[in-house]
Amino acid sequence: MPFSPLAVRRNWLFCAVLLAGVVLRVVTMLGFRGVLWFNDSYDFVRIADDPFPHPLRPSGYGLFLWALKPFHSLMLITALQHAAIVGVAGLGYRMLVRNFEVRRTWAALAVTPVLLDSYQIELEHLLLSDTVFTVLVFGAMLLLAKPGATGWRRAALVGALLGLASVTRTIGLPLFLIALLYLLVRRTRWPVHVALAVTFVLPVGAYATWFQQEHGRFQMTGVDGIFLWGRAAAFADCDRFAPPPDIAKLCPYGAKDDRPASSHQIWEDNSPTGWSNGEAFDEETNARAQRFAFWAIKNQPLDYLRVVSYDFFVRTFSWHRSRYPTVGTEARYHFPTKPAARKPDLPVLGGGDRREVVDEYSHGTGRTHIVDPYAGVMRDYQKHVSVPGTVLGGVLLVGAAGIVWRRARARTALFWTSAVALLAVPPVTVDFDYRYVLPALPFACFAAAMAWSRRVPAVLPEPEPAEDAAPEVEPADA
């Protein structure tokens, strides 16, 4: 889609949405100088100062920050994150129109939530891994779904992107299985599957090996059991079911209805997990927490299903946002009126405190400077422009209906199942959080657009095989 007056006229709706998205991000950069901080942000900065495999979360985003450390600029990070989302939205629109034969109006509407949703823009301004993760997984699935024979080179690039995404956020791991299943449905030859698997395993395996060298465990993190304990702590009833003596101390405090959110129970003061700022969970604690979680789920499967279902169906698709998992956490997803209290003397895993790790990285305090009227514009904008969960649910239903009633099912299903996986895995394994919803939004919108807003020919033309692959068999409804 070359830039010319004719191209602008033909794609006027997309150009208007794109311009609005760029302007909103520029206003955000002017209104909130630097970055917006989250509790996890300091861990990522500590990784960037002196890379190491973090025991609580994958270090991929920290390595991204490490690559930018020579610039000592927090504003550069936010600028790149904003630009990356705008870029992937532009690429997605181009592919919808050119490669997936979606009408221009529907293609523009499909990328509108990504470009204009206020919470998406605010998330890009936070020093968190979600933006980089979204770009990696969405870029990988766009490349995988591109029409034509999928050669081993293309599959290798897709595998590498998904591997990098998985060392950024572990929720990228199930997306690899979705990609592999897609290739099986498309009936590609085995070298393509091997290429996808090898390039995916390389970064994931290399990271797990690095983690093993530092922590003695061949894993991505050392808290899989801890997080699952938090999920089980929402419903575990140690009065009705007596736990084994070796895990009895992990029984959550208080009545079920009065307990904090699953994720918050892990980190609260005097938690049964023994959490303390600046200290990692040891292997024994993680293993005992995992045993407790499995014990609770085995004894109370219906309670586990109830908790997961409520988070997935009610919290995810509600029209109004609630202050969950805590008032303070949800407040971080709103443009602030003043810089958040940062507790600069809190210790950070890996050494030092918050003030020290930020100063080493940015050669400054890292304090967010809030400048009006720009900041006020974005705060007002956020009050009125966002995608409610109910709308997201409706978009998913439209995509699901398209998979059932329309043709071109495989590519539609690739994006639809990716969206559902991104929404479902956190409630199943950890907890619900609003920032976990946003990476699923572009997948859901693209699935709906690809299913219903194009005219699918009765018989698809035979693709020309790539030079590096044997021809694949692609059904007419693929």
Side-chain angles (χ1 to χ4, degrees):
M1 189 175 64
F3 182 79
S4 66
L6 178 60
V8 172
R9 285 197 300 271
R10 296 183 66 189
N11 301 278
W12 67 270
L13 181 56
F14 168 72
C15 290
V17 172
L18 179 67
L19 178 61
V22 171
V23 169
L24 288 168
R25 286 161 174 81
V26 171
V27 173
T28 300
M29 295 284 294
L30 293 172
F32 303 92
R33 310 288 173 87
V35 299
L36 297 176
W37 293 91
F38 198 83
N39 291 335
D40 300 356
S41 304
Y42 304 98
D43 290 328
F44 292 124
V45 175
R46 177 62 186 85
I47 296 166
D49 286 339
D50 185 14
F52 70 103
H54 200 279
L56 301 184
R57 54 188 55 85
S59 297
Y61 183 65
L63 295 176
F64 167 75
L65 299 182
W66 171 75
L68 300 175
K69 185 182 177 182
F71 299 98
H72 302 293
S73 173
L74 296 174
M75 187 171 287
L76 175 63
I77 297 168
T78 55
L80 290 176
Q81 292 184 168
H82 287 308
I85 292 297
V86 171
V88 81
L91 175 64
Y93 174 81
R94 179 187 177 94
M95 290 189 67
L96 281 176
V97 174
R98 287 200 168 190
N99 300 112
F100 305 130
E101 300 175 349
V102 173
R103 297 181 181 91
R104 287 179 170 84
T105 299
W106 288 100
L109 292 176
V111 299
T112 295
V114 182
L115 289 170
L116 301 187
D117 182 89
S118 58
Y119 290 101
Q120 171 63 46
I121 297 171
E122 200 272 352
L123 184 64
E124 296 163 27
H125 215 67
L126 280 162
L127 198 68
L128 286 174
S129 59
D130 302 80
T131 298
V132 172
F133 172 79
T134 300
V135 171
L136 288 171
V137 293
F138 194 62
M141 293 309 189
L142 281 174
L143 182 62
L144 183 63
K146 185 178 180 180
T150 304
W152 68 266
R153 288 188 178 89
R154 194 204 299 188
L157 182 53
V158 171
L161 290 173
L162 291 176
L164 292 174
S166 298
V167 300
T168 302
R169 279 189 61 198
T170 53
I171 197 175
L173 295 171
L175 295 186
F176 164 73
L177 299 178
I178 292 174
L180 186 61
L181 179 62
Y182 174 76
L183 291 180
L184 290 172
V185 171
R186 293 283 302 276
R187 288 181 278 177
T188 54
R189 300 294 182 88
W190 68 265
V192 178
H193 300 162
V194 171
L196 177 77
V198 168
T199 55
F200 173 79
V201 168
L202 280 175
V204 172
Y207 185 84
T209 301
W210 186 30
F211 191 93
Q212 182 181 38
Q213 292 173 347
E214 293 290 327
H215 304 292
R217 288 170 277 177
F218 189 77
Q219 295 177 259
M220 301 289 287
T221 71
V223 289
D224 52 339
I226 291 289
F227 284 143
L228 192 60
W229 174 89
R231 178 75 293 183
F235 61 85
D237 191 339
C238 293
D239 294 329
R240 288 176 56 203
F241 305 94
D246 64 326
I247 58 175
K249 291 183 178 179
L250 286 168
C251 287
Y253 303 140
K256 289 189 293 184
D257 295 339
D258 296 329
R259 292 174 190 169
S262 291
S263 54
H264 186 62
Q265 289 194 59
I266 298 170
W267 319 109
E268 68 174 344
D269 294 337
N270 300 319
S271 169
T273 62
W275 163 251
S276 179
N277 281 297
E279 299 180 12
F281 296 104
D282 58 43
E283 184 175 3
E284 181 182 355
T285 300
N286 185 64
R288 286 193 296 111
Q290 187 175 70
R291 288 201 306 275
F292 181 93
F294 288 149
W295 167 83
I297 294 171
K298 179 181 178 180
N299 283 282
Q300 300 173 253
L302 294 181
D303 288 331
Y304 171 65
L305 181 61
R306 173 183 57 79
V307 169
V308 170
S309 299
Y310 185 84
D311 280 357
F312 180 75
F313 290 105
V314 179
R315 295 193 194 279
T316 302
F317 302 120
S318 291
W319 184 269
H320 297 291
R321 295 167 67 101
S322 61
R323 310 307 296 271
Y324 189 90
T326 69
V327 172
T329 298
E330 200 274 333
R332 301 286 188 180
Y333 307 138
H334 296 259
F335 288 110
T337 57
K338 60 182 180 179
R342 290 172 40 205
K343 299 180 180 178
D345 57 339
L346 282 181
V348 179
L349 268 167
D353 59 31
R354 290 180 172 185
R355 179 187 292 109
E356 292 170 347
V357 300
V358 173
D359 180 71
E360 180 179 346
Y361 186 86
S362 66
H363 290 183
T365 65
R367 185 177 178 83
T368 307
H369 296 283
I370 299 179
V371 181
D372 284 317
Y374 311 106
V377 169
M378 293 310 300
R379 286 193 296 267
D380 290 339
Y381 180 80
Q382 193 169 36
K383 294 176 182 178
H384 300 97
V385 183
S386 64
V387 178
T390 309
V391 173
L392 172 60
V395 172
L396 280 173
L397 289 177
V398 169
I403 294 172
V404 174
W405 296 106
R406 300 277 287 184
R407 307 183 77 176
R409 293 176 182 172
R411 291 190 178 95
T412 304
L414 174 66
F415 286 90
W416 191 86
T417 53
S418 296
V420 172
L422 289 170
L423 293 172
V425 171
V428 169
T429 59
V430 186
D431 198 0
F432 170 83
D433 195 298
Y434 283 104
R435 69 184 173 100
Y436 298 157
V437 173
L438 288 171
L441 186 57
F443 287 98
C445 292
F446 271 52
M450 291 168 64
W452 290 99
S453 62
R454 71 177 185 141
R455 183 176 301 167
V456 181
V459 179
L460 295 179
E462 284 291 328
E464 295 185 5
E467 294 180 358
D468 57 350
E472 66 184 47
V473 180
E474 182 174 354
D477 66 346

